[in-house]
Amino acid sequence: MKLRLALIAAALASFAGCTSPKAPTSSCDTAIVKAGFSCTDTEVLRAATLLRAMTLEEKVQQMSGPAYNPNNMFDQEDNTRLAIPGYRFMDGPRGVRWYNSDYGTTVFPVAAARGSSWNVELERRIGKAMADEMRYMGRHVLLAPTINQVMHPRWGRAQETYGEDAYLLGEMGQAFVLGAQYDPTVADPLDPTQVVDATAYRIQACAKHLAANNIEDTRIYVNAVLDERTLREVYLPHFKKVSKAGVSCVMASYNRVNSSYSGYSKAIVRDILKTEWGYHGWVVSDWFAKGTTLTSPVAGLDIEMPFSSGAFPTIFDSAYFYGTALSSGVQNGTVDVGLVDEAVLRILYAKVHFGVIDKWDKTKNWSPWLTKSDATQALALEAAREGIVLLKNGATAALTDDVLPLSAATQKVVAVVGKFANSENMGDKGSSDAKVVDSSLVITPYEGIAERLGATNPSVSACAGATPCALAFESVAGHEAALATADVIVVVGAYYPADLARSSTGEEGEWKDRVSMSLPQRDLDNINAAIALRGQNPNLKIVVVMKSGGAIVVNPWIADVDAVVMAWFAGMKEGTALGEILFGDISPSGKVVQSFPAEETDLPPFQNATTGDVSYDYYHGYRWLDRQSKAARWPFGFGLSYTTFAYSNLVVASPTIPESGTLSVTVDITNTGTRIGSEVVQLYVGYPNTALADSWGRPKKELKAFARVADLAPGAKATVILTVKASDLGYWNTATKQAVVEHAAHALWVGPSSDTNDPNTQKGTFTVQ
Ligand code: BGC
């Protein structure tokens, strides 16, 4: 924890030491003061000198995409006169997406899976790995992380983000940003394998999409209506955290927020992000998003992408608004040139600071070996192992009932069934469609299981049960005879990824919300058919592996299957990790980052049909379920292991703290089972004594800290220290327009999930005074 804080402090210090603005002097232009930058920072002064040398057209070029080019939506023009490269963007966040090439990159598990590892250090290393791939490709700005909340699990882009909770989103997003923006010219004490390269430039991350971008079907129109408390406490804290961590770029979302499109929302971009939070990076529009020449510069939108003129896709229903329109606006006096100067200063400062100007080499071309990097593939596997969640194992929680792990000695014939049992499905095929080209590097569930069983290329006739054997079918129907021989049927229930063409077959992804929270019908048919087969074969075990970016409702089949695993979309090595987990080479340790309700009706309705107003409730996810006194089927933060842990000795080191103080608690975790295992310890705070007059009150509990205890041996005990700053416990007072920390006794729970009734959950109190 201390090391993490030190890293954050170092990153903050290295990012624009921008203290109190000074009045303009000869070297301290108005633009510097307006941007809140320091007039003594040499990089800022260098950016200002470049700015002064620019013509209006050159400034506007920095703020715009090029003319329409059907083959490239990610490259700005270069300024050759002043040797200032245009930005080369590329998408994330499950890997670096090269959308127009024959080559691929490493495909990591989607962020929903990586969030489920609750491993910030792993996420930082993934950020670093993507930064390296970006550099090999000669790109500058990685369009990741996505840190929008999963307001509702049917959201098509739930897979791209770290779940429903603002605190977790902020922690994981920050870790990714610090990794992606790492400085390759210095050694990393946490990563001895890192190559130090004095000539390398730094990658810039881009946190997206600010703000309240939580619905896909209507994403370019919908108006998210949020009152101030909901915005400040629920939808903005994670953006604030990554902005304070020094993220260089923030992307404004497509949707409207309180009636204003984000691309021209002064309230969100200029007033909150730039002014109130003191953000020193720059803001880019989402691709083809709405904006206007007059209002977007006022709002603080620094760059419009992807183009400045030419064809405009009708599907986006808008028009380009920077480029020549912006130059004309300045020339005819409708746009203040000071706004242009401030935007360009921000852009140039980042280009100086991250080495785009001095270190980037345009002539360097990336090579196709990227997907073959053993190190990044190993990292993708590590993330899959930690992000896959075991949700059910046997009829009860008792270990004697456990079905998993399987054993090749007793369960010889394993059939893997489903549309995606043995075909590539790594998630969304929209902007996050990172892919490998050498498909042999992608391990499907069937391949991973077959490999673990030692049964490659089996045929149905070879599968007689004498030696271990794996089979793959798209459906149970039609294969009943072969399946009658199976000891285990693994049904892979997976959503079909949507593409940007909005193809009718796509079921989940960008621009495509899920139509329901259950598995697709073809998967339900397979589950039911497998259950029916048990009539002939009572010893048949049924394991369901679910693939989606969002929580799934498992009624009514849950009672009739033996085990359930949430794989999310666990990347190119998903199958390998699944095989290892199902056969017990490793103990599962992931914990879900969304609440899994018993029924969809337990959640507020998902309003993804209207292009008009959608009122955002203050409550969603576990906060909503608590409010309704509804138990989740699997609560936020829940996940099973093959071992057991006991929580004991909760000690509140600081039972009374001032508002400026820090709560510090310790708890002991003992591995009481027989296998090595990792545990995610979670701390929640509640406000039973709130004096808030607001009719909503405060949430029953909120996640405020967590720690991952890795590889605890049987019998071993670890003491975990968790800290929470009292200043992070405030609610937003709409009258005074600031956070208020209540001076009262608060409740505290430390346990294995958000379920405060879990027998392992330790309870305590502390007082802020
Ligand atoms: C997505 C962004 C993405 C951009 C560029 C948009 O449709 O919303 O997340 O970065 O496209 O591909």
Side-chain angles (χ1 to χ4, degrees):
M1 176 73 91
K2 269 198 186 125
L3 192 48
R4 179 146 53 96
L5 291 179
L7 281 168
I8 295 164
L12 289 174
S14 76
F15 193 78
C18 301
T19 47
S20 53
K22 300 190 178 106
T25 64
S26 54
S27 62
C28 193
D29 308 47
T30 314
I32 300 181
V33 176
K34 268 195 164 172
F37 283 11
S38 162
C39 299
T40 54
D41 183 309
T42 51
E43 291 179 332
V44 171
L45 295 177
R46 175 142 177 238
T49 304
L50 286 169
L51 176 68
R52 262 181 257 129
M54 284 182 157
T55 63
L56 174 62
E57 280 67 32
E58 286 174 326
K59 292 176 186 173
V60 168
Q61 182 188 45
Q62 294 294 314
M63 296 175 67
S64 313
Y68 176 72
N69 169 1
N71 298 316
N72 189 344
M73 296 202 304
F74 293 94
D75 292 8
Q76 282 187 300
E77 287 166 356
D78 297 330
N79 178 329
T80 40
R81 184 179 79 87
L82 296 170
I84 303 172
Y87 272 135
R88 268 67 175 167
F89 295 89
M90 193 41 63
D91 268 308
R94 75 167 184 240
V96 180
R97 169 194 181 213
W98 182 256
Y99 81 119
N100 211 7
S101 157
D102 287 341
Y103 302 129
T105 51
T106 308
V107 182
F108 295 94
V110 296
R114 299 190 331 244
S116 300
S117 75
W118 301 62
N119 188 338
V120 283
E121 181 45 30
L122 176 60
E123 190 60 9
R124 194 182 74 95
R125 282 188 284 132
I126 290 173
K128 286 183 73 173
M130 285 194 212
D132 289 340
E133 295 197 346
M134 286 283 287
R135 238 183 319 271
Y136 293 134
M137 295 164 66
R139 319 304 298 176
H140 306 131
V141 183
L142 174 60
L143 301 174
T146 300
I147 53 169
N148 297 109
Q149 227 110 359
V150 180
M151 174 180 73
H152 194 288
R154 276 175 48 206
W155 178 39
R157 292 181 87 169
Q159 58 184 276
E160 277 186 55
T161 187
Y162 307 104
E164 73 182 39
D165 181 82
Y167 178 75
L168 183 60
L169 280 159
E171 290 294 297
M172 296 300 285
Q174 171 177 269
F176 182 88
V177 167
L178 293 178
Q181 295 192 169
Y182 90 97
D183 185 351
T185 67
V186 296
D188 179 349
L190 292 179
D191 184 359
T193 60
Q194 182 200 302
V195 179
V196 175
D197 178 357
T199 66
Y201 65 98
R202 285 173 64 190
I203 298 302
Q204 297 169 55
C206 193
K208 61 192 190 182
H209 313 78
L210 184 72
N213 184 168
N214 316 87
I215 299 171
E216 280 310 289
D217 286 356
T218 53
R219 66 178 183 162
I220 62 165
Y221 297 109
V222 67
N223 181 28
V225 181
L226 295 87
D227 69 280
E228 195 69 8
R229 261 195 84 192
T230 306
L231 188 65
R232 296 296 192 145
E233 291 180 40
V234 185
Y235 289 89
L236 288 186
H238 34 296
F239 280 99
K240 183 173 182 182
K241 191 169 277 175
V242 297
S243 102
K244 296 281 182 194
V247 72
S248 186
C249 162
V250 167
M251 185 187 288
S253 57
Y254 285 127
N255 54 286
R256 287 177 283 165
V257 183
N258 292 334
S259 299
S260 189
Y261 278 103
S262 302
Y264 47 83
S265 170
K266 179 171 173 296
I268 300 284
V269 177
R270 184 171 299 280
D271 296 349
I272 296 180
L273 172 69
K274 289 187 168 176
T275 308
E276 190 184 314
W277 297 346
Y279 174 62
H280 292 127
W282 46 277
V283 178
V284 66
S285 71
D286 200 342
W287 268 225
F288 302 105
K290 294 176 175 56
T292 79
T293 307
L294 290 188
T295 54
S296 292
V298 177
L301 185 83
D302 301 305
I303 299 182
E304 180 198 14
M305 281 301 283
F307 304 124
S308 52
S309 60
F312 195 97
T314 47
I315 197 169
F316 284 101
D317 180 24
S318 179
Y320 304 118
F321 51 92
Y322 279 3
T324 46
L326 184 56
S327 304
S328 308
V330 174
Q331 273 153 353
N332 68 27
T334 50
V335 178
D336 174 5
V337 72
L339 295 171
V340 169
D341 284 352
E342 187 212 320
V344 177
L345 182 82
R346 285 173 179 271
I347 297 163
L348 291 174
Y349 167 72
K351 286 184 179 175
V352 172
H353 184 70
F354 286 87
V356 174
I357 289 181
D358 294 324
K359 292 182 166 171
W360 179 66
D361 180 357
K362 188 179 182 171
T363 61
K364 240 185 186 170
N365 254 333
W366 71 298
S367 56
W369 64 266
L370 288 175
T371 52
K372 310 232 179 200
S373 151
D374 289 343
T376 53
Q377 287 187 65
L379 193 56
L381 175 58
E382 189 180 342
R385 285 176 180 145
E386 295 196 5
I388 291 174
V389 187
L390 177 61
L391 289 171
K392 170 173 174 166
N393 190 9
T396 70
L399 277 175
T400 46
D401 290 319
D402 289 354
V403 173
L404 300 179
L406 303 173
S407 151
T410 47
Q411 282 120 1
K412 291 193 188 310
V413 181
V414 180
V416 192
V417 179
K419 183 173 172 63
F420 295 101
N422 192 24
S423 62
E424 186 179 307
N425 179 354
M426 297 188 290
D428 177 50
K429 291 195 176 296
S431 66
S432 76
D433 188 18
K435 47 187 172 241
V436 301
V437 166
D438 178 354
S439 60
S440 70
L441 298 176
V442 178
I443 309 300
T444 66
Y446 163 74
E447 287 169 342
I449 289 167
E451 191 165 309
R452 180 56 187 72
L453 212 49
T456 43
N457 301 321
S459 64
V460 172
S461 56
C463 224
T467 51
C469 186
L471 294 168
F473 299 114
E474 283 209 7
S475 65
V476 172
H479 302 284
E480 287 86 349
L483 287 166
T485 65
D487 299 304
V488 183
I489 297 184
V490 177
V491 179
V492 178
Y495 269 82
Y496 191 88
D499 55 33
L500 276 174
R502 311 189 69 182
S503 64
S504 54
T505 46
E507 296 164 338
E508 172 182 347
E510 189 168 338
W511 227 324
K512 184 70 88 181
D513 294 314
R514 288 194 285 153
V515 296
S516 100
M517 278 188 71
S518 90
L519 283 172
Q521 190 57 47
R522 59 174 174 272
D523 300 319
L524 298 178
D525 291 347
N526 279 333
I527 292 171
N528 290 329
I531 293 169
L533 280 181
R534 204 154 35 195
Q536 301 158 38
N537 177 4
N539 294 325
L540 176 68
K541 304 291 179 212
I542 301 171
V543 178
V544 177
V545 173
M546 307 193 293
K547 292 185 62 170
S548 166
I552 288 174
V553 166
V554 296
N555 288 343
W557 48 266
I558 185 67
D560 295 317
V561 304
D562 297 290
V564 177
V565 171
M566 186 69 188
W568 311 100
F569 296 102
M572 63 193 291
K573 300 299 173 200
E574 175 182 273
T576 307
L578 258 179
E580 292 174 347
I581 287 174
L582 294 183
F583 284 94
D585 302 335
I586 54 172
S587 190
S589 59
K591 304 228 180 176
V592 289
V593 291
Q594 295 167 39
S595 310
F596 281 54
E599 300 286 354
E600 184 173 339
T601 47
D602 289 349
L603 298 180
F606 186 40
Q607 299 173 62
N608 63 332
T610 174
T611 52
D613 293 356
V614 170
S615 265
Y616 274 38
D617 204 296
Y618 175 71
Y619 290 97
H620 76 283
Y622 68 84
R623 292 166 170 80
W624 168 274
L625 291 171
D626 281 347
R627 179 92 172 157
Q628 307 293 321
S629 301
K630 287 235 155 77
R633 155 94 47 207
W634 293 304
F636 174 81
F638 174 84
L640 295 170
S641 166
Y642 293 150
T643 192
T644 49
F645 298 98
Y647 284 57
S648 60
N649 293 336
L650 177 72
V651 177
V652 182
S654 44
T656 302
I657 47 171
E659 205 174 312
S660 58
T662 298
L663 169 72
S664 176
V665 307
T666 56
V667 68
D668 290 342
I669 313 297
T670 309
N671 183 340
T672 49
T674 54
R675 287 167 173 267
I676 190 166
S678 303
E679 171 68 335
V680 178
V681 181
Q682 301 158 45
L683 182 154
Y684 296 83
V685 171
Y687 316 95
N689 300 310
T690 181
L692 195 58
D694 193 318
S695 57
W696 302 334
R698 301 194 70 180
K700 181 192 161 197
K701 61 176 181 276
E702 297 182 296
L703 178 72
K704 289 294 175 187
F706 62 87
R708 188 181 161 89
V709 182
D711 300 331
L712 206 54
K717 182 173 86 176
T719 300
V720 176
I721 306 171
L722 295 160
T723 57
V724 183
K725 282 191 194 154
S727 55
D728 287 342
L729 300 177
Y731 70 86
W732 188 260
N733 184 315
T734 43
T736 61
K737 295 201 173 302
Q738 54 192 2
V740 173
V741 177
E742 295 192 88
H743 289 208
H746 301 304
L748 167 72
W749 297 271
V750 178
S753 80
S754 63
D755 178 7
T756 50
N757 294 321
D758 187 294
N760 248 333
T761 296
Q762 304 277 295
K763 301 177 178 60
T765 58
F766 66 99
T767 301
V768 178
Q769 71 174 19

